[in-house]
Amino acid sequence: ASRHSVNLRIAMLKRRPFGNTGLQVSELILGAGYVGGIVIHADDETRRTLMRRLLEAGINWIDTAESYGQGASEEALGWLLAELPEDNQPYISTKFRLDTDRLDNIPGQIETSLKGSLDRLGLERVDLYQLHNPFGQDGFDIEHVLGPGGVCDCLDKLKAQGLFDHIGFTALGDVGQCKRLIASGRVESAQVYYNLLNPSAGRRMSGDWPTTNFDNLIADCQDYGVAVMNIRIFAGGALASPEPHGREAPITTNADVATEHARAERLLAVLPGGQGRRAQSAVRFGLAHPGISGVVLGLAELSHLEEALGAATMGPMANGIIEGLQPFWDSGLAD
C-alpha cells in the first residue's frame, strides 16, 4: 500500500490536483501552526484523537514550519507520525526562514534548518520544503532566491539528494517579487493569503483597497501550474469567532486585530444566510476558488475540525453569493 493512502476507502473529502506535481491533495489541509495551536498546545490524547480524525476524514496533508512554537510543532508531529502505520502517513510540508543578517551563507542556513526539521519530525525526507521569508523585508529580496548560489540553487541540490520532493514558498511581502518567483519555474507551490476579508489574491480590487493587495496572485499560479495552499482562511481568527483568542499575528497591512474583527462583523452582516456557521462560511469561500489546491486550517480544538469537515460537506460557496459581496469589497471593507 502507498505510504500516503490515508484511508482512501472511507475518505469523505474531495481531492484536488497539487499544481503540476501529479499529487492529489485533500481539499482541507491541517496547518500545525501557532495561531490555531492544537498541535502545539493540546494535551497528548487530544493530539492523538486529532490525527485519527484527520485520517478518517481523508485529510492527507499536514503543513508545519521550524518556527511554529520554535520547533514544538515539528517535535509533536514527530512522535504523532511515529505512532501511525507506515502505510497510512499523510504528506508533510515544512518551512525554513533565513536569518537576514547572514545572507552571505544561504546554503549553510538552509542545510542546518532542513536537518533540524527532519530530526524533529523523525523523517528522512519531507514531501514539500518551503521558503518562509517575506519578500522586500529586512533586506531580503528575489535576487537572494533566484540569483546564482541563492535559495533555489541550494534547494535544487538538496532535492537531488532525496531530502524532499517539491519546492515551495510563502507568497508574502512584495507581490511583484512573488509573481517573479511564480513565473520562474523554480517553485511548485505557493502559500497564498486569501479569505473573505482580503480576497485580492483571487480577484482584482478597487484602487482604494485599504489593506495588502495581492493582485490576483492565484491567477499567476494557475498560469504557471503552481499549486496554491490557501493560508489564513479565518483571517487570523476574526472570521471564525467574534472574540479574539490572543494568538493573533496579523501579516497584512492596516489589519490589526481590532480592525479585522470589526471588518468581519460588517462582512457577516451582509453575507446572505444559509452559508453555515461563520467559520464554515470562511472555509466554503476558499473552497469555491478553482485555483486553490487545498485550504490550510489552523485549529484550536477538535470541534473546529468537525466544523470544517461540515463545511466541506456543504460544498463550495455559490459564485452568486461571492459576487454579491463585491460591493462590500469595493467600499473598502466599509471602514
Side-chain angles (χ1 to χ4, degrees), residues 150-169:
V151 171
C152 283
D153 282 353
C154 179
L155 291 177
D156 285 344
K157 291 177 182 177
L158 294 170
K159 178 182 175 182
Q161 295 175 30
L163 297 173
F164 49 83
D165 293 341
H166 304 288
I167 295 169
F169 80 111

Side-chain angles (χ1 to χ4, degrees), residues 194 199-205 213 215-216 322-323 326 329:
Y194 179 72
S200 63
R203 59 180 54 230
R204 300 291 180 189
M205 310 310 291
N213 190 335
D215 195 25
N216 209 17
I322 294 172
E323 293 308 317
Q326 192 63 49
W329 294 321

Side-chain angles (χ1 to χ4, degrees), residues 32-34 40 63-74 95 132:
Y34 178 78
I40 297 173
D63 181 65
T64 185
E66 64 174 350
S67 62
Y68 293 167
Q70 297 180 309
S73 174
E74 290 178 332
K95 316 179 198 70
H132 210 187

Side-chain angles (χ1 to χ4, degrees), residues 76-118:
L77 288 171
W79 65 261
L80 287 163
L81 293 170
E83 293 184 351
L84 298 178
E86 178 62 27
D87 63 352
N88 200 21
Q89 296 274 328
Y91 294 110
I92 299 295
S93 55
T94 191
K95 316 179 198 70
F96 65 94
R97 187 184 295 269
L98 295 170
D99 180 350
T100 55
D101 290 331
R102 297 189 294 122
L103 292 175
D104 57 337
N105 186 23
I106 289 175
Q109 286 199 62
I110 296 177
E111 289 170 18
T112 299
S113 289
L114 179 57
K115 181 182 185 303
S117 288
L118 292 176

Side-chain angles (χ1 to χ4, degrees), residues 166-250:
H166 304 288
I167 295 169
F169 80 111
T170 301
L172 294 174
D174 184 274
V175 177
Q177 294 187 48
C178 290
K179 291 193 171 197
R180 280 185 60 189
L181 183 52
I182 289 165
S184 72
R186 303 294 297 273
V187 295
E188 296 161 283
S189 70
Q191 296 215 332
V192 178
Y193 191 106
Y194 179 72
N195 57 53
L196 279 163
L197 297 188
N198 189 337
S200 63
R203 59 180 54 230
R204 300 291 180 189
M205 310 310 291
S206 61
D208 58 352
W209 182 241
T211 182
T212 302
N213 190 335
F214 290 100
D215 195 25
N216 209 17
L217 193 66
I218 296 174
D220 291 75
C221 291
Q222 290 177 286
D223 288 344
Y224 292 98
V226 172
V228 173
M229 300 171 76
N230 179 188
I231 61 172
R232 294 296 181 111
I233 193 66
F234 300 129
L239 287 165
S241 171
E243 299 298 328
H245 49 60
R247 295 186 301 277
E248 290 84 1

